[in-house]
Amino acid sequence: MVSGERVLIVEDDPSAGAGLTLSLTEHGYDVVLVTTGREALTAAEGRPPEIVLLDLGLPDLDGVHVCRVLREKLPFVPIVMVTARDADIDVVVGLDAGANDYVVKPFTTAVLLARLRAHLRRPPATDADSEVMTVGELHIDTASHRAFLAGDEIELRPKEYALLHLLVTEVGRVVTRDRLLNDLWDLRWESSTKTLDMHVHALRRKLGDRPNGSAWISTVRSIGYRFESP
Ligand code: CA
């Protein structure tokens, strides 16, 4: 069901960290586990996660501080904080620091998975729109949310797939930045053009050039992007 969304887990307790890593990996998530606040901040600087699970009780830095800095570094990434007990004050302070949600230890895997799913808000697949879309060498299977280039699958993250799908739906026409942002990003995360540009960049990198050397996706200055017809 889940196609490898990248979860950054910040948890200093070794058994809790191992347990979370195991259960989320079993459910198809791509887990990065770190055990200190400093490591969490470093991890946020590389390939960014799609969601963060942040234990507030960390050995080196104050978890609330870590939350605040992560929120600045990753303005659009949901942060679910983990508190050791039902400490209302932690929850209030954590949410003020930019966390989107919280779970209270001990929590079940089912509860955690439900929270992750809610925040990742994967686009639903319906039978109605299930078909194969083709642009030259590119094939998109809208039922399984997979894309293939000359028969080879392109590994896409959910947002990259959604972006590709929307652009291809309007192949040959400009899709405005406003529409892309509105359709693909939850406004609660205050979508920004930077996020959009990052996703277009990633998609271009994964698609590469066409056999004739031209680009799949053209930038239409200050308006949007166009997926070029073959
Ligand atoms: Ca802890």
Side-chain angles (χ1 to χ4, degrees):
M1 287 296 289
V2 177
S3 58
E5 282 103 334
R6 191 172 158 88
V7 185
L8 173 62
I9 299 177
V10 190
E11 172 57 77
D12 60 305
D13 180 289
S15 66
L20 284 168
T21 301
L22 182 64
S23 49
L24 293 187
T25 303
E26 277 176 350
H27 284 84
Y29 288 92
D30 180 4
V31 173
V32 175
L33 172 66
V34 299
T35 56
T36 66
R38 284 195 181 82
E39 284 177 290
L41 299 182
T42 306
E45 279 165 6
R47 198 172 131 225
E50 281 156 292
I51 193 162
V52 178
L53 195 61
L54 172 66
D55 181 24
L56 285 188
L58 294 171
D60 57 342
L61 302 175
D62 174 33
V64 172
H65 169 74
V66 173
C67 183
R68 209 167 265 131
V69 178
L70 284 176
R71 175 47 69 227
E72 280 172 24
K73 286 177 187 283
L74 306 168
F76 313 106
V77 174
I79 299 174
V80 178
M81 61 178 173
V82 178
T83 64
R85 66 204 163 286
D86 196 354
D88 290 345
I89 189 70
D90 277 3
V91 171
V92 171
V93 171
L95 293 175
D96 279 349
N100 301 92
D101 200 358
Y102 63 94
V103 287
V104 176
K105 284 182 183 176
F107 50 85
T108 63
T109 302
V111 163
L112 179 62
L113 289 171
R115 297 290 172 85
L116 294 182
R117 275 198 303 273
H119 286 283
L120 288 165
R121 293 171 66 95
R122 311 189 65 231
T126 65
D127 288 342
D129 64 10
S130 113
E131 56 170 319
V132 174
M133 302 165 79
T134 300
V135 182
E137 299 262 83
L138 176 72
H139 301 278
I140 299 175
D141 180 340
T142 61
S144 64
H145 285 207
R146 298 164 79 191
F148 301 86
L149 197 57
D152 292 328
E153 180 163 11
I154 315 167
E155 296 292 333
L156 295 174
R157 297 212 238 157
K159 284 289 187 209
E160 292 164 358
Y161 170 81
L163 174 62
L164 175 65
H165 181 259
L166 179 50
L167 288 172
V168 168
T169 304
E170 301 287 344
V171 64
R173 290 190 289 265
V174 181
V175 183
T176 64
R177 304 179 68 90
D178 279 354
R179 178 169 171 208
L180 291 165
L181 288 168
N182 282 330
D183 285 9
L184 302 183
W185 276 274
D186 186 331
L187 291 175
R188 284 183 304 164
W189 313 131
E190 294 172 22
S191 328
S192 94
T193 58
K194 192 178 158 211
T195 308
L196 171 60
D197 292 338
M198 278 167 44
H199 281 78
V200 171
H201 178 77
L203 193 53
R204 279 180 167 146
R205 190 169 42 75
K206 291 181 180 182
L207 288 168
D209 287 332
R210 297 194 141 158
N212 69 4
S214 66
W216 291 96
I217 302 171
S218 300
T219 305
V220 183
R221 253 183 108 78
S222 68
I223 297 177
Y225 294 99
R226 182 176 57 232
F227 204 87
E228 299 293 355
S229 27

